[in-house]
Amino acid sequence: MLRLDRLVEPDRVHRTVYTDQAIFDREMANMWEKTWVYCGHESQLKKTGDYATVQIGRQPMIMVRGSDGRIRVLHNRCPHRGVQLCGNRQGNTGSTFVCSYHAWTFHLDGKVKGIPLSHGYDGTRMSPQNPDCSVKAAARVDSYRGFVFASLSATGPTLLEFLGEAKIAFDDMCDRSPQGEVEIVPICHRVMQHSNWKFFMENQLDALHPSVTHQSTGVAAGRVERKLREQGEQPPLYYHYLSTFASSFEQWDSVQTVNFPRGHGILKGYMGLRPDDPDTKEYVAALYRAYGEMRAEEYLGRSIHHVLIYPYLSVQSPLQQLRVLRPLAPNKTLSEIWHFRLKGVSQAIYRRALWYFNLVNSPATMINADDLENWTKGQWGLESDGGDWVSFHRNHGGDTREGGVTFSNNGTSEAVMRSQFEAWTQYMREETP
Ligand code: FES
Ligand SMILES: [Fe+2]
């Protein structure tokens, strides 16, 4: 039996929560395979038969647009002898799925359509009327502002209840478009992290690490910015993306984090993303036309850097970035890094999202690479016998709690990790059937 009280204490956790296979399996069963998991964006599936394969916990799934226009999420498994129906990451399957083994065919909602020589089943308990002949579907599928989620559990909170305050991630992203919508850029960076998924989630709101981990990149970018200014030039915005990482400890400590129930959280804004140039002016004018000045300014003025949707999603809404985790083993996590276009804005504004995608979130940048190295080294340390506990003592006892929301006026507080482990304990406590 799992003794959670021996693993998670208010100010520290036992290292095995990052390394143990049985704990990982329970995370998959109790968290990923029960809660709402992000599958993709509606704009990935434009036509009937468009599909994308997606991993929900240990389950390979297919997200597909049906002939009725609805998006469904099905198990990627033929009901005959189990062969996966879709081998590609994305594509169009036409009006049916056809199994590559014995040609059973299925409608896009998973119902069986045809079985070769089906009279061979006469008199058996396997007939086309038997639901066991059809592809099993996710228990629930729902979307919010175009972002599609599925839950493998028929019970539990609704999508909006699950997202809670963290739904601002999608509002903030979409409201920045004068049409109120975004479209996915259908290419993602995929990174294999050699570390437990929790390293990524903790790191996203960890404001103590950037000025250390990303110092070399931040300082170098800052030098270039200064040089350009000395030459009378305005440095392009992308240098600012990098140079802010090298802000002082004190500056980082002044950035607030907000920690919601269920482990979700926000790191408030710290970058200036509203330069005074003609492209920005044109963009702001379009937002004023769409929403009126007051609402447009409210949308543009939201103080958000990251929104974290626990346990697997990090959304940088002001720059239309989304990173989703697909854990594969205690020490192996796949991350998918996506970005989006704001509908109805110029190419110049879109390029800002693309810069961030490539300069900060891509595996080829020094920023992501430096984080990845820390997490790998962290995993090695926790797999060693050098100590049993992971410390989350920073500012412990100094946080404010109101209505289940924990505020920390110290950006570098480890309130973030403590809040995530509160949620983790809730999930893990539930008995699996
Ligand atoms: S395994 Fe799919 S048709 Fe036989
Ligand atoms: Fe980082």
Side-chain angles (χ1 to χ4, degrees):
M1 195 180 127
L2 202 59
R3 288 291 308 266
L4 290 168
D5 56 333
R6 293 201 183 153
L7 297 173
V8 179
E9 297 182 6
D11 53 359
R12 64 178 192 172
V13 299
H14 196 268
R15 68 183 176 98
T16 47
V17 303
Y18 298 80
T19 60
D20 184 83
Q21 184 66 47
I23 291 176
F24 179 83
D25 291 342
R26 193 171 169 111
E27 288 174 341
M28 293 302 100
N30 279 21
M31 301 169 86
W32 270 265
E33 292 172 12
K34 273 195 181 165
T35 196
W36 289 95
V37 170
Y38 174 71
C39 295
H41 191 262
E42 284 171 2
S43 58
Q44 270 169 281
L45 311 178
K46 291 197 165 62
K47 301 189 300 290
T48 299
D50 280 355
Y51 72 86
T53 50
V54 61
Q55 188 79 9
I56 298 185
R58 295 159 297 187
Q59 314 304 322
M61 309 293 290
I62 312 165
M63 174 175 74
V64 60
R65 191 177 288 278
S67 43
D68 55 0
R70 264 182 65 190
I71 291 179
R72 293 180 180 81
V73 177
L74 309 171
H75 282 263
N76 191 1
R77 180 200 188 278
C78 175
H80 179 215
R81 301 246 288 274
V83 167
Q84 292 201 337
L85 292 169
C86 293
N88 295 333
R89 278 194 202 127
Q90 58 193 42
N92 184 285
T93 187
S95 59
T96 46
F97 292 109
V98 183
C99 181
S100 61
Y101 203 3
H102 314 97
W104 283 31
T105 55
F106 306 93
H107 296 287
L108 299 177
D109 61 3
K111 294 218 174 60
V112 69
K113 185 177 178 193
I115 297 177
L117 307 176
S118 62
H119 54 79
Y121 289 95
D122 291 351
T124 76
R125 63 176 167 179
M126 198 60 158
S127 69
Q129 287 72 43
N130 185 335
D132 286 350
C133 262
S134 293
V135 184
K136 193 173 158 190
R140 293 182 290 168
V141 179
D142 200 357
S143 69
Y144 183 66
R145 299 203 72 165
F147 295 81
V148 181
F149 293 74
S151 166
L152 302 186
S153 168
T155 57
T158 63
L159 175 61
L160 279 182
E161 285 165 352
F162 163 71
L163 292 174
E165 302 266 358
K167 81 178 176 62
I168 190 75
F170 307 109
D171 291 329
D172 187 46
M173 203 191 285
C174 297
D175 291 344
R176 287 169 188 270
S177 148
Q179 295 174 16
E181 285 180 23
V182 294
E183 183 169 21
I184 200 162
V185 181
I187 286 175
C188 79
H189 294 304
R190 290 160 68 88
V191 179
M192 196 62 82
Q193 302 172 6
H194 298 283
S195 51
N196 188 269
W197 60 270
K198 293 185 233 21
F199 275 104
F200 176 96
M201 294 306 282
E202 290 160 13
N203 183 85
Q204 294 314 298
L205 305 192
D206 180 327
L208 189 60
H209 90 280
S211 56
V212 185
T213 303
H214 307 303
Q215 185 189 37
S216 54
T217 309
V219 167
R223 259 188 224 131
V224 179
E225 275 183 320
R226 272 196 304 284
K227 201 166 166 196
L228 287 170
R229 283 204 187 93
E230 278 161 23
Q231 292 167 358
E233 291 174 48
Q234 185 57 33
L237 186 62
Y238 48 77
Y239 283 108
H240 178 62
Y241 293 166
L242 301 173
S243 61
T244 43
F245 281 99
S247 304
S248 67
F249 280 134
E250 286 72 21
Q251 284 168 313
W252 279 111
D253 202 36
S254 67
V255 179
Q256 214 190 22
T257 63
V258 185
N259 303 287
F260 299 116
R262 298 185 204 278
H264 308 328
I266 292 180
L267 175 66
K268 294 215 167 184
Y270 61 82
M271 283 197 294
L273 291 175
R274 199 165 158 185
D276 190 26
D277 62 291
D279 294 327
T280 309
K281 283 184 180 140
E282 183 197 310
Y283 166 56
V284 172
L287 286 185
Y288 278 17
R289 282 195 298 278
Y291 300 116
E293 182 176 342
M294 245 174 70
R295 260 171 71 206
E297 284 298 333
E298 180 200 321
Y299 295 160
L300 289 167
R302 284 184 181 131
S303 180
I304 292 177
H305 179 67
H306 282 288
V307 182
L308 216 60
I309 296 169
Y310 192 76
Y312 60 83
L313 202 58
S314 165
V315 183
Q316 284 171 281
S317 43
L319 287 159
Q320 298 88 53
Q321 318 279 312
L322 179 149
R323 284 179 282 176
V324 55
L325 298 183
R326 314 281 182 198
L328 303 174
N331 62 354
K332 204 169 173 188
T333 307
L334 173 69
S335 73
E336 296 171 3
I337 306 160
W338 297 92
H339 76 300
F340 296 80
R341 279 174 195 271
L342 300 173
K343 281 196 180 172
V345 307
S346 68
Q347 191 68 4
I349 297 297
Y350 161 64
R351 229 173 269 133
R352 295 175 186 180
L354 182 62
W355 288 337
Y356 202 85
F357 182 67
N358 283 325
L359 285 171
V360 177
N361 286 337
S362 147
T365 97
M366 292 310 293
I367 300 292
N368 192 342
D370 283 340
D371 284 324
L372 287 163
E373 194 199 1
N374 273 344
W375 308 336
T376 303
K377 292 191 297 185
Q379 188 71 26
W380 289 342
L382 298 187
E383 285 170 2
S384 80
D385 293 332
D388 277 339
W389 296 97
V390 178
S391 158
F392 295 133
H393 295 85
R394 194 174 177 81
N395 299 95
H396 182 232
D399 307 322
T400 315
R401 196 158 184 136
E402 271 174 38
V405 181
T406 306
F407 300 90
S408 178
N409 287 323
N410 295 96
T412 67
S413 168
E414 284 163 347
V416 171
M417 298 82 188
R418 294 189 289 269
S419 160
Q420 291 183 4
F421 270 102
E422 250 183 81
W424 186 87
T425 308
Q426 292 290 335
Y427 277 114
M428 296 293 273
R429 196 172 276 147
E430 287 164 26
E431 285 304 320
T432 36

